[in-house]
Structures are given as C-alpha cells and as structure tokens.
C-alpha cells in the first residue's frame, strides 16, 4: 500500500496543468485560478484622502491653535485649494485640498465663533490621511499567477479598476457512479436498492473545488457498459468514479480501466479510504474512489481536490488548511493513519475536538454532524487534551 503523502506527491507530479485560459468578470472569478500575475495599473489611492470626517489643514498643529474654516470638501469632489493658515471642512474619503497635509477629527475640535475651530490635540504632518499608494502601488504584483481567488480578494482587485481577470479554464470532469443497487434520488423505492448518495455528494464537492461536470452517469454492474462509458469519459480532463475498485466479484471499474489504460495505485495506507485506484484511461487521469461514502469524501479531499487544483494551475495544490487542536477524549490510533470525523466544541474555556461516537465509514450522518477531520497517526496513544491536526472541511469553499 502507498502512503498518503506519496500518492499526493505523484498526483502533483503527474496531473498536467490545463493550457486553455479565459477572461472572466471579477464578480465571477471566485474559485478561479489566475494564469498570469495581476499587475497594479495605478496607485490606490491615487491621491491623499481623508480617513474620517474633520478638518483639513497644514501641520504642525498644536493644541489650542485656532483656524478659520473656509469651504467644504466631499468625497468625489475635485481637489480644492486651501488658503494658508486656514482649515477646510472635509469628509471621509475626500481628496485632500492642495496645500493641506493633515486632517484633524471633528471630535478633536471645538467651535470658536461662527466660522472657526480650535484644536484640542496636537498633530504632525500626515495625521488623519490615507496617503497615495497606501494600499497598492502602480506596477507591483497585486496577486501572483497560481492564486485561487477568494471572496476577500475581489474588493482588492476591483479597487485598482480591473473589471476582468485572466484565469485557467475550469477542469472538466466525468463523474460515474456504479452499482446495480443504486437508485437516483426521487425514484420510487424498490426493496434491495439504495439511493445514490455518493453521486450528489461528489457533484457538490466537484463544484466547490471549481470543476465543471461534463459527463454524469450512474452505471449498472455491467463490464461492457462500464468500459464503453469510461471510453467516452476520456474526453474530459479528469475521470472520477465511485465504487467498483475493490476486489469483489462485481467490482468491475478496475478491470475496465486496465482494459483502456492502467492503474498506478490501487490501495492507500489510509483509514477510511484504502481501496483507492489512481491511473489513466486513454491518457486521461482517473480516480476510482471507494464506495463507502465517508471513504469517498475523505479520498476526494486528499487526492481528487489536489488533482483539480494542479490542473487549474494553483501554486499550492493539495495544501488543505490545517490547525492543531486538542482532542476532547483519549484516542488510540488504528493500524493505519486515520482521519476521524470531529466537531469543535468549547469546554472549560477552550476549543476541543469531539469525535463522532461511531466512525463507521458508511455513516453519512457523521459527515453532516462533523465540521472537520482530525488526523490520528498510526498506532498513536493520545490522551485527552493532546493536539492533533484538524481540517475544517465545512470552511473549504470554491
């Protein structure tokens, strides 16, 4: 059996980056990967701005100084001119008048007659001012190539005036689920059948990882049909299947893949998710995920998501956000490295990880209950309070 780290390493090495790119509006760019660096076209801000409502003046300013107030400067107004020795009423985001270099907050002034103020604090030049280029400078790299754009970056890009960004085309994925026992959700129930849970779950996971599903089918346990659909699926950038890759009599996907390509890895030293197949079908990368839903979920996060990020050109594919958090209860490691379903809870003033009581890999209820996975090393003897690596899968967005 291959180690998790070795399989991830090979996925990073072997999955090719998609060569096709496209321009998309910045409002549609969340989850997309930049194929070229974004260069700042102009300083932001392009000129000094007031940080708050107050009065623009020229420093130095001493406590007790009196200024006659002449004029007003609103956000969006062209720059006015400040007469020497005077102040100008100014509002948040407004351009500083020519001749001013400081803004005093209105709370730090007192009225002194109908048209004058007196300062109640001393200020040096630059106080209360958002300087030219304080956020970004013309010509600098705003975001490097390989960045997956998140919601927090959209405002930054928009602030420079850019309306579109150049990104890698979305990876196109063929998704196949297999099994004579499967019914589509909504179909009339038949004894002996089960509803296909892995298919809809994988569709959601693929969309959240930025993929486009170009082929979706639920297949019976028929070798000829499976091979034919695998051949058709090879037009995609990636093929993902669920079920049929173990050693059972009806596990026919593995044989279909080997007839059209090859299996590079068959089993992974991992719990849950040991029966994972990684290979290629007529040159298209293939991932055969286990049939148990929790195993499907875990292997998708570790391996398929890595492949999609690499295909999209992301600079750090497979780098799931992790943090060390303490276990709520003692835990003994299994005979393989294990990812257990956990939930963050607060006890005695700190956050701890509470494991789901039953870690059976067939329990979808455990995924809905949990908000992340905790990594338990092989054979570990962990006491309550010992830190483990935590992946917050509910916080993984596009």
């Amino acid at each position: 059996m291959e180690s998790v780290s070795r399989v991830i390493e090979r996925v990073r090495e072997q999955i090719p980056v998609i060569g096709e790119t496209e321009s998309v509006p910045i409002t549609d760019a969340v989850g997309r990967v930049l194929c070229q660096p974004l260069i700042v076209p102009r300083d932001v801000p392009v000129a000094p701005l007031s940080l708050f409502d107050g009065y623009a003046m020229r420093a130095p300013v001493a406590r007790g100084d009196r200024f006659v107030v002449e004029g007003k400067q609103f956000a969006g107004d062209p720059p006015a001119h400040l007469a020497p020795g005077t102040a100008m009423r100014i509002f948040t985001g407004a351009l500083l008048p020519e001749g001013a270099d400081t803004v005093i907050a209105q709370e730090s002034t007192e009225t002194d007659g109908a048209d004058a103020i007196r300062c109640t604090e001393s200020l040096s030049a630059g106080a209360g001012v958002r300087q030219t280029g304080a956020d970004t400078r013309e010509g600098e790299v705003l975001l490097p190539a390989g960045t997956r754009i998140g919601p927090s970056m959209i405002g930054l890009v928009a602030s420079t005036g850019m309306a579109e960004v150049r990104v890698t085309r979305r990876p196109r994925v063929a998704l196949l689920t297999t099994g004579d026992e499967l019914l589509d959700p909504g179909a009339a129930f038949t004894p002996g059948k089960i509803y296909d849970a892995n298919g809809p779950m994988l569709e959601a996971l693929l969309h959240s990882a930025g993929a486009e599903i170009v082929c979706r089918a639920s297949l019976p346990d028929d070798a000829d049909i499976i091979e034919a659909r695998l051949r058709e699926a090879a037009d995609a950038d990636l093929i993902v299947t669920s079920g049929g890759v173990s050693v059972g009599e009806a596990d026919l996907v593995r044989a279909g893949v080997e007839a059209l390509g090859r299996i590079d890895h068959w089993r992974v030293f991992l719990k849950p998710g040991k029966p994972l197949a990684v290979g290629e079908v007529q040159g298209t990368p293939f991932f055969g995920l286990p049939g148990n839903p929790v195993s499907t979920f875990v292997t998708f996060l570790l391996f398929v998501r890595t492949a999609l990020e690499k295909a999209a050109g992301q600079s750090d594919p497979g780098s799931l956000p992790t943090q060390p958090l303490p276990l709520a209860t003692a835990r003994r490691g299994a005979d393989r490295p294990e990812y257990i379903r956990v939930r963050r809870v607060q006890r005695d003033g700190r956050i701890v990880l509470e494991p789901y009581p039953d870690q059976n890999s067939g329990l979808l209820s455990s995924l809905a209950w949990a908000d992340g996975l905790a990594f338990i090393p092989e054979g570990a003897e962990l006491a309550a309070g010992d830190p483990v690596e935590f992946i917050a899968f509910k916080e993984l967005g596009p």
Side-chain angles (χ1 to χ4, degrees), residues 11-299:
V11 168
R12 288 171 174 163
E13 292 172 351
Q14 296 176 7
I15 298 294
V17 176
I18 295 168
E20 300 171 48
T21 65
E22 59 187 356
S23 291
V24 298
I26 58 171
T27 50
D28 295 334
V30 173
R32 307 301 296 274
V33 178
L34 291 172
C35 61
Q36 59 190 29
L38 294 186
I39 306 300
V40 180
R42 59 185 58 81
D43 290 340
V44 179
V46 295
L49 305 176
S50 177
L51 287 173
F52 35 67
D53 294 350
Y55 298 88
M57 53 189 61
R58 189 160 190 85
V61 178
R63 183 176 181 179
D65 282 355
R66 182 179 184 273
F67 291 87
V68 174
V69 179
E70 295 183 352
K72 294 181 179 180
Q73 183 80 359
F74 292 91
D77 287 349
H81 179 74
L82 182 71
T86 67
M88 183 176 290
R89 186 77 167 103
I90 195 168
F91 298 91
T92 304
L95 289 169
L96 248 63
E98 295 175 1
D101 62 5
T102 303
V103 175
I104 188 169
Q106 60 187 28
E107 300 91 334
S108 298
T109 64
E110 297 173 343
T111 57
D112 190 355
D115 60 353
I117 58 168
R118 192 172 298 279
C119 300
T120 59
E121 68 172 308
S122 299
L123 299 173
S124 56
V129 177
R130 187 180 177 211
Q131 299 293 347
T132 301
D135 206 351
T136 52
R137 285 284 188 182
E138 180 179 351
E140 73 179 11
V141 175
L142 186 71
L143 296 171
T147 298
R148 181 174 292 273
I149 300 173
S152 61
M153 303 174 189
I154 297 299
L156 175 65
V157 177
S159 73
T160 69
M162 285 185 272
E164 294 186 339
V165 292
R166 195 81 187 171
V167 297
T168 304
R169 168 178 64 72
R170 291 186 185 276
R172 296 170 182 159
V173 178
L175 173 60
L176 309 175
T177 51
T178 65
D180 287 337
E181 74 279 14
L182 297 181
L183 291 173
D184 290 332
F189 182 74
T190 304
K193 304 290 187 179
I194 61 172
Y195 286 108
D196 180 12
N198 284 355
M201 180 175 68
L202 283 169
E203 288 186 49
L205 287 167
L206 286 165
H207 286 307
S208 73
E212 176 188 355
I213 300 173
V214 294
C215 171
R216 171 72 176 97
S218 181
L219 308 180
D221 291 322
D222 183 298
D224 292 335
I225 293 175
I226 289 172
E227 184 174 329
R229 295 309 295 266
L230 284 170
R231 185 179 289 106
E232 294 171 3
D235 289 336
D237 299 312
L238 195 73
I239 301 171
V240 177
T241 67
S242 175
V245 295
S246 190
V247 293
E249 186 175 334
D251 290 332
L252 303 173
V253 174
R254 183 166 177 254
V257 172
E258 291 177 326
L260 299 171
R262 69 177 191 276
I263 297 290
D264 294 324
H265 310 286
W266 177 32
R267 296 188 300 169
V268 180
F269 195 53
L270 171 67
K271 183 179 180 181
K274 180 175 71 172
L276 170 78
V278 181
E280 57 90 7
V281 174
Q282 295 185 338
T284 299
F286 164 83
F287 287 85
L289 307 185
N292 279 334
V294 177
S295 300
T296 297
F297 187 89
V298 171
T299 51

